[in-house]
Amino acid sequence: MKATGNARLALLLLIQFTYWAHCAPVKDGFGDQNSLQKRFNTTAPLPVEVVHDFPTGTWIENLAIRGNGQIIATDNSEPNIYLLDPFRGGATVLLATLNDTGSLLGIVEAQPDIFYICSANYSSPKLQGYGDNNIYRLDMTEFNPREPSSAKVVKITSLPDAIALDGLTYIPQSNLLLTSDFLAGIVWSINPHTGEIAVPINNTYTRSPGAFGVNGIHVKGNDTLYFTNSGQGTVARVQINAQGEAVGNYTFLTSTLPNPDDFAVDEGGDAYVASFTEDDDGIVFVPREGAPYSLLVSVAGPTACAFGRTERDKQVLYVSTSGGDYAPSPRTVSGKIVKIDVERVARR
């Protein structure tokens, strides 16, 4: 059975309330800077600028950056895909609504303007998924901004045994997708051309003693997998083979970060991580060598990060947010895309 409309939103908000248990509403949309500074090893906070503020109740879950600098964002509260232009005042277009699923989550670009998106359906009271988790292909190669329908979306496969897909990444050497199943605590692989599915990683590093395990997931280069585990508080990396199987030792950038979600990795291997907990939502800088992490800025309800790709914004970190109010109903805040200039972090 598939929940729709208000019923689907109520179910989704209940599971999200449990996911971010003990998180308090935030009125200004940028979190409590004083609380964050008490908890984290902080430097002077960086300025935050809103790119686009979505309607009240919207939960923006993830984002990917096109080669031209535009942002594609996925919606966790409704199965919507948005296109934003940060160079035109955050002008936003609804590309598609996928009515065969409940929520859209991870997104990754595999080839120029060819993106993949994972979805999930939630049954919140028992923190279990229901229905199929899907993988979609979004083709923007012939996109015409005057015709949003020129963005072509097709479902390429379903994962009937998955519980709740979340993060999504791509292995260039084999053209495979990897997706995190955060309720099962495992990593799935998907061949986007054949639909073949496997489980290359399922171990104590991806599982969790609580409800939530492996969350954000990104391949750097051809063979280094970075991932967060929300339940364990870890940010880790491991060498993988072409099938996505771990073939090296696990290295932990940190094992004490409160509730790490999705993240971005810079060219040097440092991580910029969305971290959420009571009054302490923010973007945290986690050095590659395992030095203490530090707060960059407070952001209410951060969910994912991605660096700009043009000369104008290559030192800008774009962040998707839920808005920060985790009460199950009614939600009184709106998800956002915000941007943070991290140039001085990259130079230190």
Side-chain angles (χ1 to χ4, degrees), residues 203-283:
N203 57 38
T204 57
Y205 302 120
T206 57
R207 296 191 296 269
S208 174
F212 306 105
V214 58
N215 192 326
I217 183 170
H218 295 279
V219 171
K220 187 72 172 177
N222 277 321
D223 61 357
T224 302
L225 176 68
Y226 287 77
F227 65 92
T228 58
N229 185 314
S230 298
Q232 294 188 22
T234 57
V235 181
R237 66 175 181 262
V238 65
Q239 184 179 0
I240 58 172
N241 60 21
Q243 287 70 48
E245 300 164 331
V247 294
N249 295 324
Y250 287 80
T251 299
F252 292 90
L253 284 68
T254 182
S255 58
T256 60
L257 182 61
N259 300 317
D261 199 334
D262 215 327
F263 59 96
V265 179
D266 66 19
E267 293 181 357
D270 299 320
Y272 297 70
V273 185
S275 174
F276 55 89
T277 192
E278 183 177 358
D279 295 326
D280 284 346
D281 291 358
I283 303 302

Side-chain angles (χ1 to χ4, degrees), residues 123-166:
S123 173
S124 56
K126 297 182 179 180
L127 283 181
Q128 294 179 350
Y130 69 90
D132 287 348
N133 293 256
N134 301 327
I135 303 292
Y136 301 87
R137 180 187 294 112
L138 168 63
D139 186 342
M140 297 286 289
T141 56
E142 298 181 2
F143 177 70
N144 181 345
R146 295 183 180 86
E147 300 179 15
S149 62
S150 60
K152 303 301 182 184
V153 184
V154 295
K155 183 172 75 174
I156 62 169
T157 193
S158 295
L159 285 76
D161 295 326
I163 301 177
L165 302 184
D166 195 332

Side-chain angles (χ1 to χ4, degrees), residues 18-231:
T18 308
Y19 189 179
W20 281 274
H22 310 302
C23 291
V26 180
K27 296 181 180 180
D28 63 6
F30 292 107
D32 183 341
Q33 188 67 56
N34 292 330
S35 174
L36 279 158
Q37 288 177 333
K38 291 176 183 177
R39 180 163 190 153
F40 293 104
N41 173 26
T42 64
T43 57
L46 301 174
V48 179
E49 180 180 338
V50 175
V51 176
H52 184 77
D53 195 345
F54 288 85
T56 298
T58 305
W59 183 300
I60 300 301
E61 178 63 20
N62 217 309
L63 73 169
I65 314 298
R66 298 180 71 195
N68 64 4
Q70 293 177 335
I71 302 167
I72 300 175
T74 61
D75 187 343
N76 200 359
S77 48
E78 293 288 340
N80 295 326
I81 307 171
Y82 297 99
L83 179 70
L84 298 83
D85 193 333
F87 307 125
R88 295 180 57 243
T92 302
V93 174
L94 175 63
L95 293 179
T97 299
L98 309 184
N99 292 317
D100 61 343
T101 191
S103 305
L104 300 182
L105 296 101
I107 178 171
V108 64
E109 185 179 35
Q111 288 89 32
D113 265 346
I114 300 294
F115 298 84
Y116 292 92
I117 296 171
C118 65
S119 75
N121 288 306
Y122 291 119
S123 173
S124 56
K126 297 182 179 180
L127 283 181
Q128 294 179 350
Y130 69 90
D132 287 348
N133 293 256
N134 301 327
I135 303 292
Y136 301 87
R137 180 187 294 112
L138 168 63
D139 186 342
M140 297 286 289
T141 56
E142 298 181 2
F143 177 70
N144 181 345
R146 295 183 180 86
E147 300 179 15
S149 62
S150 60
K152 303 301 182 184
V153 184
V154 295
K155 183 172 75 174
I156 62 169
T157 193
S158 295
L159 285 76
D161 295 326
I163 301 177
L165 302 184
D166 195 332
L168 188 66
T169 191
Y170 175 73
I171 307 176
Q173 62 176 312
S174 58
N175 299 316
L176 292 181
L177 300 170
L178 296 179
T179 182
S180 60
D181 190 333
F182 77 103
L183 290 183
I186 64 177
V187 175
W188 298 87
S189 67
I190 304 101
N191 185 318
H193 304 292
T194 67
E196 183 180 357
I197 298 167
V199 179
I201 303 178
N202 177 11
N203 57 38
T204 57
Y205 302 120
T206 57
R207 296 191 296 269
S208 174
F212 306 105
V214 58
N215 192 326
I217 183 170
H218 295 279
V219 171
K220 187 72 172 177
N222 277 321
D223 61 357
T224 302
L225 176 68
Y226 287 77
F227 65 92
T228 58
N229 185 314
S230 298

